[in-house]
Amino acid sequence: MPLIDGKTDDLAEVARAARAWHDGAALDDIRRAAPFVHLTGRFEVPDHDPARLTESEWQSMRLEAGELESAWQETYQALIEAAHSEPTLRALYPFTSHWALRFSTTTRPRLTVVGPCLTANSDGMYGVGKGFIIEDLGRFATAHEAVALAARQLPSGLGPIALGG
């Protein structure tokens, strides 16, 4: 998962970013060396603590949702924020695939998917489904309604997040 990204046509800036990374520079120092660099919101978790990795992934997902340049950015951001505000979902490791929000009881690289899939649709509606991008559990007018159903669908007795690999 990227800690930084960015776009530039200046290969010298790319080289400066790569050199800073190679030399072990902190993320903020890499950004100072190459201003095109964008910090993704994921922070380095040197001890690979699963709880901190989960917090980091939520932080990144929320930042990404706020910066998304898309017609459905507000809908998607509302879904991410609603899911983050639900304690049972916030305790799980979040991930997306094709902009569908899913949850895991383990961190990357080996995810253990749990619970339903949530989607933010271009029509402003929110979907909840048992499978990937299937709305068989319902469509809702608000992100909070979709998130509430998803939280109720979680199995009981989920333990703390574990490392996934």
Side-chain angles (χ1 to χ4, degrees), residues 29-47:
D29 293 337
I30 294 171
R31 183 178 172 145
R32 279 190 282 282
F36 79 93
V37 166
H38 172 260
L39 303 180
T40 65
R42 289 184 180 90
F43 59 87
E44 297 174 85
V45 181
D47 63 357

Side-chain angles (χ1 to χ4, degrees), residues 9 22 24 28 30 35 49 77 86 89 93 97 112 124 128 130-131 136 139 144 147-148 151 157 165:
D9 293 327
H22 177 269
D28 286 333
I30 294 171
D49 175 354
Q77 184 176 13
E86 171 55 54
L89 296 180
Y93 185 86
S97 179
T112 305
V128 183
K130 293 178 187 174
D136 58 343
R139 285 178 49 88
H144 288 285
V147 163

Side-chain angles (χ1 to χ4, degrees), residues 41-131:
R42 289 184 180 90
F43 59 87
E44 297 174 85
V45 181
D47 63 357
H48 298 292
D49 175 354
R52 291 183 56 212
L53 288 168
T54 299
E55 290 171 16
S56 174
E57 196 59 29
W58 274 112
Q59 176 184 345
S60 174
M61 195 171 285
R62 295 173 72 202
L63 181 65
E64 178 184 47
E67 296 176 345
L68 188 64
E69 293 182 18
S70 171
W72 45 272
Q73 181 274 331
E74 288 182 28
T75 306
Y76 182 71
Q77 184 176 13
L79 178 65
I80 299 301
E81 292 299 333
H84 182 261
S85 72
E86 171 55 54
T88 57
L89 296 180
R90 187 175 57 247
L92 297 170
Y93 185 86
F95 68 99
T96 59
S97 179
H98 299 83
W99 303 107
L101 179 59
R102 314 267 335 249
F103 305 94
S104 174
T105 57
T106 56
T107 63
R108 292 181 190 274
R110 291 195 176 93
L111 299 171
T112 305
V113 179
V114 63
C117 178
L118 292 160
T119 56
N121 303 315
S122 61
D123 64 0
M125 298 291 287
Y126 300 88
V128 183
K130 293 178 187 174

